[in-house]
Amino acid sequence: AWRVIHQGLSLNNNNFDLQYNLAFLHELLNDGERALKIYKDLIKRSHDEETISEIEIKIEELEKILASE
């Protein structure tokens, strides 16, 4: 998955879905700081209320996790 996402981003670094998947991968790999940075960037770029809500939840969860470390 990592390789495929990076290949896609090398073709289109602004692809929202690929960026979202990259943030999720960072989350899975316990790199919450990087995931949080990407999610915060994505929330600024989204115009879909449902997506914004999902990202807000992820940001809150990651901030809680990072604060407890």
Side-chain angles (χ1 to χ4, degrees), residues 20-68:
Y20 186 91
N21 289 326
L22 180 62
F24 183 71
L25 270 179
H26 279 289
E27 214 177 328
L28 290 176
L29 296 171
N30 295 319
D31 187 359
E33 289 181 18
R34 181 70 179 134
L36 186 60
K37 183 177 183 218
I38 296 169
Y39 284 135
K40 285 183 175 182
D41 178 57
L42 289 173
I43 207 166
K44 294 175 192 172
R45 295 173 39 206
S46 181
H47 303 291
D48 178 69
E49 289 301 318
E50 186 176 332
T51 302
I52 291 170
S53 293
E54 287 177 25
I55 295 172
E56 285 175 337
I57 291 168
K58 288 191 168 287
I59 288 171
E60 286 178 28
E61 290 172 350
L62 284 169
E63 285 178 337
K64 285 179 187 175
I65 291 167
L66 292 171
S68 69

Side-chain angles (χ1 to χ4, degrees), residues 3-20:
R3 184 173 44 90
V4 172
I5 290 172
H6 279 280
Q7 285 175 341
L9 289 171
S10 71
L11 298 173
N12 181 0
N13 193 44
N14 291 321
N15 184 288
F16 188 91
D17 292 327
L18 289 172
Q19 289 284 340
Y20 186 91

